[in-house]
C-alpha cells in the first residue's frame, strides 16, 4: 500500500500559515472595494459574499491541504467536508464545486482516484455538483475544493457580530489535532482515532440546517487556528467572550493525550498568537491545549440570543450529539476572551 | 546523559522521544539533551519539561539546530544564579533607543547598555522588554548575542507577548521567553532594585 503521509511535512489544517504571519502578508495588498462585495478578505471571515440582487448573494471559498490520514478516500472526504464547511459557516447552501489537485508524478494514479471519489461523495451529500477542477504535479499530495454557494444577503452569518447577552454553542468536539498527533506518535487508541475521523468527515450541513430556524448573531467554523483564535476573532473590539472550559466538548481520550504532551506545532503557534488575549488562570493544561488544538474540518462556533440557545442546542444535538453551550457574550472587558 | 536526535522530525515526535528518554532514566534521574531544528519544537519540549517539574534550558547551535537540555530529579539541576539571594536587580526596557535625542544615537546607546549589563556581577535577575523594546529580543536584533550571554549567566529574559503580537514579531523571538503582563508585574514586584529605560 502506498503511504500518503510518507512525503508530507504536515497535514490538515495544522499546516495553515500562522494567523499573525498571514495578516502581515495580506496587509500589503490593496483594499478592493465594491458595494456588492458584502464580505471580503479584509473581514477575515470564512468566505467571500458577493451580492447579485436584493434576495441573492453568492458565497465563494477555497480550501485545500496535504493529507493527515493514510487512507486516500478518507482524506478526500475530509478535505471536501472541510472546504464545504466555510459555506455553511456563512449561512449559505453549496451549489457547485471545483477540484484542486496537486499530486506527485511518481505515485500511482489509483490513489488519486480514491481521493477524488471521497471528495465527490461529500459534494453529493452536500447536494452540490462537481463541475471541474485543476490538477498539477507537485512533490506533495494536496487536495481541496473551490466551492460556490448561495445565500440570502439579509441573512449572512458573519464571524464577528455577536451581541452581548448571547450564548455560544460549539457543535463538534475538540481534540482532533491532538488525537492525530497521538496517532503519529503511535500512541492513540482505535476508538479515539475513529471519533476524530468521523468528526472530520461529518459535514457541518446538518447543524447549519437546524440553525436556519433561529436568529443567529454570528457564526464561524473552527480551523487549524483553534477555538481560542476564532473566539478572539468573533469577540472583535466591541465584545468579550466568556468561555466555560469545563463545558467544552472534546474527544474523551484527547484530554489524557494532551496531559501526556502529545502536542502539535500548530497548537504551540496558536498559544504564542493568543498571548495577551486570554489569561488561562487555573485552567488545566489539558483544557488549555484543547482550546488551542488545531481542528481539521472543525465544528461550527456560533452566537445566538440566550432565549433561543437551549432550544437551538437541543435541535443541533439531534445531529451533533456532543454539541454544547460553551460560553456567553459580554460587553468588551480587559481581554477579548475570559475563562470561567 | 542521554542524547535524543529529533532533527527533521515534526511534533509530537520530538516530545514523545524526549519523554521516553526521561522515563528511561528512572528514579535517580539524569540529563536528556534533545536536538531539534524548529523553535516551536523547542517550546513544546520546554512546555513538557516545565509541566513535569523538570528544569530545562536551550542553546541555539549552528545550522538552525537547537539543543534543549532537560534535567530530571536526582538532585542535579541546571545551574542557575537566579535565586533569592541574587542581585534582585530588574531592568525594564520599554523602548529600542536610550535617552532623548537622535534615534540613531539612541540605538547605539541601548546596544552599549545591554552589552554593559552582561558585565554586571551578579547579573540582573530579570530583564523585561515591552513596547518597542520588544524588538531588541527579536531574531534580527543586534543585541541578541549579549542577551544570550545574560541568559546563560542566569538572567531571565521576558518579552511582552501583547507587544510582539502587535509588532508581529512573536515568531521571531530570538532569546528568552514570551510573558504576559502578569509575569512582567510579578518580576517587577519581586525586584529589590528596578531600572527603567
Amino acid at each position: 500500500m502506498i503511504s500518503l503521509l510518507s512525503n508530507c511535512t504536515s497535514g490538515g489544517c495544522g499546516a495553515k500559515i500562522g494567523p499573525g504571519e498571514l495578516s502581515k502578508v495580506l496587509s500589503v495588498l490593496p483594499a478592493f472595494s465594491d458595494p456588492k462585495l458584502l464580505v471580503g478578505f479584509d473581514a477575515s471571515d470564512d468566505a467571500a459574499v458577493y451580492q447579485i440582487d436584493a434576495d441573492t448573494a453568492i458565497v465563494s471559498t477555497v480550501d485545500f491541504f496535504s493529507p493527515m490520514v493514510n487512507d486516500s478516500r478518507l482524506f478526500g472526504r475530509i478535505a471536501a467536508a472541510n472546504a464545504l464547511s466555510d459555506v455553511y459557516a456563512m449561512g449559505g447552501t453549496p451549489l457547485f464545486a471545483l477540484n484542486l489537485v496537486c499530486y506527485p508524478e511518481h505515485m500511482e494514479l489509483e490513489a488519486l482516484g480514491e481521493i477524488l471519489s471521497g471528495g465527490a461523495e461529500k459534494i453529493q451529500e452536500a447536494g452540490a455538483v462537481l463541475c471541474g477542477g485543476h490538477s498539477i504535479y507537485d512533490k506533495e499530495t494536496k487536495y481541496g475544493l473551490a466551492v460556490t454557494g448561495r445565500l440570502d444577503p439579509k441573512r449572512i452569518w458573519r464571524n464577528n457580530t455577536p451581541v452581548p447577552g448571547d450564548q455560544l454553542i460549539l457543535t463538534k468536539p475538540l481534540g482532533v489535532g491532538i488525537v492525530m498527533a497521538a496517532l503519529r506518535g503511535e500512541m492513540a487508541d482505535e476508538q479515539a482515532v475513529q471519533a476524530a475521523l468521523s468528526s472530520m468527515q461529518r459535514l457541518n450541513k446538518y447543524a447549519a440546517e437546524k440553525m436556519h430556524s433561529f436568529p443567529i448573531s454570528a457564526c464561524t467554523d473552527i480551523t487549524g487556528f483553534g477555538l481560542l483564535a476564532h473566539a478572539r476573532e468573533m469577540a472583535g473590539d466591541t465584545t468579550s467572550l466568556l468561555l466555560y472550559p469545563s463545558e467544552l466538548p472534546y474527544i474523551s481520550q484527547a484530554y489524557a493525550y494532551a496531559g501526556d504532551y502529545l502536542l502539535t506545532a500548530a497548537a504551540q503557534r496558536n498559544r504564542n498568537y493568543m498571548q495577551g488575549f486570554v489569561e488561562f488562570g487555573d485552567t488545566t493544561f489539558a483544557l488549555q491545549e484543547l482550546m488551542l488544538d488545531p481542528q481539521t474540518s472543525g465544528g461550527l462556533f456560533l452566537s445566538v440570543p440566550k432565549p433561543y440557545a437551549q432550544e437551538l442546542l437541543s435541535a443541533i444535538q439531534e445531529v451533533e450529539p456532543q454539541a454544547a453551550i460553551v460560553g456567553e457574550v459580554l460587553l468588551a472587558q480587559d481581554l477579548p476572551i475570559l475563562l470561567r | 546523559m542521554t542524547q535524543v536526535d529529533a532533527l527533521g522530525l515534526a511534533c509530537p515526535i520530538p516530545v514523545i522521544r524526549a519523554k521516553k528518554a526521561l522515563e528511561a532514566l528512572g528514579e535517580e534521574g539524569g540529563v536528556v539533551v534533545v536536538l531539534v531544528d524548529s523553535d516551536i519544537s523547542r517550546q513544546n519540549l520546554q512546555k513538557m519539561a516545565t509541566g513535569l517539574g523538570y528544569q530545562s534550558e536551550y542553546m541555539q547551535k549552528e545550522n538552525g539546530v537547537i539543543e534543549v537540555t532537560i534535567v530530571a530529579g536526582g538532585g542535579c539541576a541546571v545551574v542557575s544564579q537566579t535565586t533569592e539571594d541574587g542581585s534582585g536587580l530588574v531592568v525594564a526596557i520599554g523602548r529600542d533607543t536610550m535617552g532623548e535625542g537622535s534615534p540613531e544615537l539612541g540605538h547605539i546607546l541601548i546596544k552599549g547598555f545591554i552589552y554593559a549589563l552582561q558585565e554586571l556581577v551578579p547579573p540582573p535577575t530579570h530583564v523585561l522588554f515591552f513596547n518597542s523594546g520588544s524588538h531588541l529580543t527579536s531574531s534580527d536584533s543586534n543585541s541578541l548575542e549579549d542577551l544570550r550571554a545574560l541568559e546563560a549567566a542566569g538572567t531571565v529574559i521576558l518579552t511582552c507577548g501583547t507587544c510582539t503580537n502587535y509588532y508581529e514579531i512573536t515568531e521571531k523571538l530570538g532569546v528568552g521567553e514570551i510573558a504576559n503582563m502578569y509575569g512582567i508585574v510579578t518580576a517587577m514586584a519581586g525586584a529589590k532594585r528596578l531600572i527603567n529605560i
Side-chain angles (χ1 to χ4, degrees), chain B:
Chain B
M1 189 196 80
T2 314
Q3 178 158 318
V4 176
D5 181 352
L7 295 173
L9 299 174
C11 284
I13 308 299
V15 176
I16 292 174
R17 296 216 178 146
K19 201 157 162 275
K20 280 186 179 152
L22 284 162
E23 281 158 7
L25 293 175
E27 291 277 308
E28 66 270 36
V31 178
V32 171
V33 175
V34 192
L35 300 179
V36 291
D37 50 17
S38 127
D39 195 55
I40 292 289
S41 300
R42 188 272 299 171
Q43 293 174 29
N44 269 339
L45 282 166
Q46 292 203 296
K47 190 160 65 177
M48 180 265 290
T50 306
L52 296 175
Y54 302 145
Q55 294 198 43
S56 68
E57 61 176 23
Y58 71 98
M59 264 169 63
Q60 188 82 45
K61 301 282 198 180
E62 281 172 12
N63 302 323
V65 174
I66 306 170
E67 184 185 274
V68 185
T69 304
I70 303 172
V71 180
C76 49
V78 175
V79 178
S80 168
Q81 294 168 37
T82 316
T83 54
E84 285 300 311
D85 52 8
S87 66
L89 172 67
V90 173
V91 182
I93 300 178
R95 44 194 294 185
D96 59 359
T97 64
M98 188 174 186
E100 297 295 328
S102 151
E104 194 187 357
L105 176 62
H107 286 303
I108 296 170
L109 294 180
I110 196 82
K111 175 165 168 48
F113 176 80
I114 291 171
Y115 174 78
L117 266 188
Q118 52 126 352
E119 304 269 285
L120 272 185
V121 181
T125 59
H126 293 80
V127 183
L128 314 172
F129 293 91
F130 46 90
N131 213 320
S132 63
S134 52
H135 289 292
L136 294 167
T137 54
S138 173
S139 57
D140 45 16
S141 154
N142 61 4
S143 288
L144 223 48
E145 220 168 283
D146 299 330
L147 288 170
R148 284 179 180 151
L150 266 174
E151 192 175 42
T155 301
V156 176
I157 293 174
L158 300 176
T159 304
C160 145
T162 310
C163 312
T164 59
N165 276 333
Y166 181 85
Y167 292 117
E168 297 178 345
I169 51 175
T170 305
E171 307 269 332
K172 289 169 65 185
L173 185 72
V175 61
E177 301 293 326
I178 295 281
N180 55 30
M181 200 45 86
Y182 181 77
I184 290 174
V185 168
T186 307
M188 285 180 167
K192 284 187 204 148
R193 289 167 297 152
L194 178 66
I195 295 176
N196 262 304
I197 296 294

Side-chain angles (χ1 to χ4, degrees), chain A residues 158-175:
Chain A
R158 294 174 192 270
N159 66 354
N160 59 357
T161 47
V163 179
D166 281 3
Q167 286 195 308
L168 300 164
I169 294 175
L170 178 62
T171 65
K172 282 186 187 178
L174 299 170

Side-chain angles (χ1 to χ4, degrees), chain A residues 48-71:
Chain A
V49 179
Y50 193 90
Q51 184 157 15
I52 302 297
D53 61 32
D55 304 314
T56 314
I58 52 174
V59 50
S60 178
T61 180
V62 57
D63 243 301
F64 64 95
F65 45 56
S66 41
M68 77 307 293
V69 291
N70 244 328
D71 181 309

